[in-house]
Amino acid sequence: MTYISVEQMLAGPTGWLTVQTGVRSGTRVPSDLIEIINDGDQYIQIRPYAGSDRTITLDEVALDVNVFSGPDESDPAITADVAALNLAERIRWLMRTELAGYVASGGVVSRVETIQRPCPRDWDDDQDIGRYQAAYRVTIHSS
Amino acid sequence: MATRLRVNPAGTAAMLRSPRMVQAVKDRGERVADIARDISPVRTGRYKGINDTLGPGGFHVDSGVVGGKARARVSNPTPYAAYLEFGTRYMTARRILGRAAEMVRSS
């Protein structure tokens, strides 16, 4: 038995969050983030920062979900921050309502908790990139 | 054989704001602060709280009763503390307080 990598389960071209949102995701911020945003796309970064397995086979992972977005050019009301918040809240809803019960190869997601709701975070004052960050605790029962 | 359990909401509420509960929550906050100090990066020492010549820093624990419940808050007044915690374009998130809180939670 091995523990499932929650970041690999969620991120990447076939990751759960990518499939659910249609937005590109990864564990690192790509070097071409500015080009991605300028093309009108968004980006999701999933990054574990802590965790434990107090009960063997039950892996609890605390992870950050960072969302990067530019403004919606077709709607002046949707600034970069608003667009990032909208995606971050959509992800929160998906994480809390859809992820628990998801069966991955080698285990099943048994619980998802919000450690911290989506909050605006600084990124780079010189760029029009909105960033929201939230933290979740995902419990996976490995088999 | 049957067992009957009756919950006393007033008693539960009193317990959640009792001095002993405040102390217990404060103790956990102190443990979070201790771990955060242990894993803090050091360049000038201000963030870790070992050098205050550049301004206030270090980890502080405030505790009390908020909204009828005992609460402890661990904070760091260093201006760049949020950058260390959550990262920026130029700095990877270190998640000092987040990791410390998770360590205390799982201990």
Side-chain angles (χ1 to χ4, degrees):
Chain A
M1 190 210 86
T2 57
Y3 286 113
I4 296 175
S5 164
V6 66
E7 59 267 43
Q8 288 183 3
M9 180 185 78
L10 295 175
T14 59
W16 186 86
L17 262 180
T18 308
V19 172
Q20 293 289 321
T21 62
V23 175
R24 183 176 159 186
S25 68
T27 56
R28 294 178 178 277
V29 177
S31 57
D32 62 343
L33 178 68
I34 300 170
E35 285 75 20
I36 292 171
I37 301 302
N38 287 341
D39 286 344
D41 294 326
Q42 297 171 308
Y43 187 80
I44 305 166
Q45 182 203 24
I46 294 111
R47 184 182 170 87
Y49 64 87
S52 64
D53 60 341
R54 284 181 293 178
T55 303
I56 191 111
T57 75
L58 276 181
D59 193 20
E60 295 182 333
V61 183
L63 55 90
D64 279 331
V65 176
N66 282 287
V67 167
F68 301 92
S69 181
D72 185 340
E73 301 294 345
S74 64
D75 186 348
I78 309 295
T79 62
D81 280 341
V82 171
L85 173 61
N86 289 345
L87 177 57
E89 287 293 2
R90 192 172 146 221
I91 289 170
R92 172 155 67 149
W93 186 253
L94 287 167
M95 296 278 287
R96 296 284 283 135
T97 63
E98 301 289 335
L99 183 55
Y102 175 68
V103 180
S105 176
V108 60
V109 177
S110 59
R111 191 174 188 189
V112 180
E113 302 160 83
T114 304
I115 298 173
Q116 173 210 289
R117 68 179 291 276
C119 293
R121 301 293 178 209
D122 290 332
W123 181 246
D124 186 342
D125 291 341
D126 297 333
Q127 297 171 349
D128 193 12
I129 295 178
R131 176 193 176 199
Y132 267 75
Q133 172 261 341
Y136 301 94
R137 185 179 298 109
V138 178
T139 304
I140 299 178
H141 190 176
S142 294
S143 55
Chain B
M1 191 183 103
T3 301
R4 177 171 286 184
L5 175 68
R6 181 181 292 173
V7 177
N8 180 348
T12 303
M15 180 186 69
L16 290 175
R17 60 175 183 268
S18 67
R20 290 177 69 178
M21 184 62 80
V22 172
Q23 186 61 49
V25 172
K26 182 182 179 185
D27 289 346
R28 288 180 75 84
E30 295 285 2
R31 285 171 60 198
V32 171
D34 287 344
I35 292 172
R37 277 183 210 104
D38 286 345
I39 63 177
S40 289
V42 179
R43 182 170 293 176
T44 65
R46 181 179 179 182
Y47 178 79
K48 191 181 179 81
I50 56 176
N51 177 8
D52 60 2
T53 58
L54 298 172
F59 295 91
H60 304 274
V61 181
D62 304 312
S63 61
V65 176
V66 178
K69 295 177 183 174
R71 188 186 79 170
R73 186 177 66 174
V74 185
S75 60
N76 189 314
T78 311
Y80 51 86
Y83 301 151
L84 276 169
E85 188 70 18
F86 302 114
T88 68
R89 182 187 174 194
Y90 308 100
M91 181 189 295
T92 302
R94 300 293 188 91
R95 273 308 214 164
I96 311 295
L97 278 170
R99 283 190 286 148
E102 284 296 316
M103 283 185 224
V104 169
R105 179 187 173 273
S106 63
S107 61

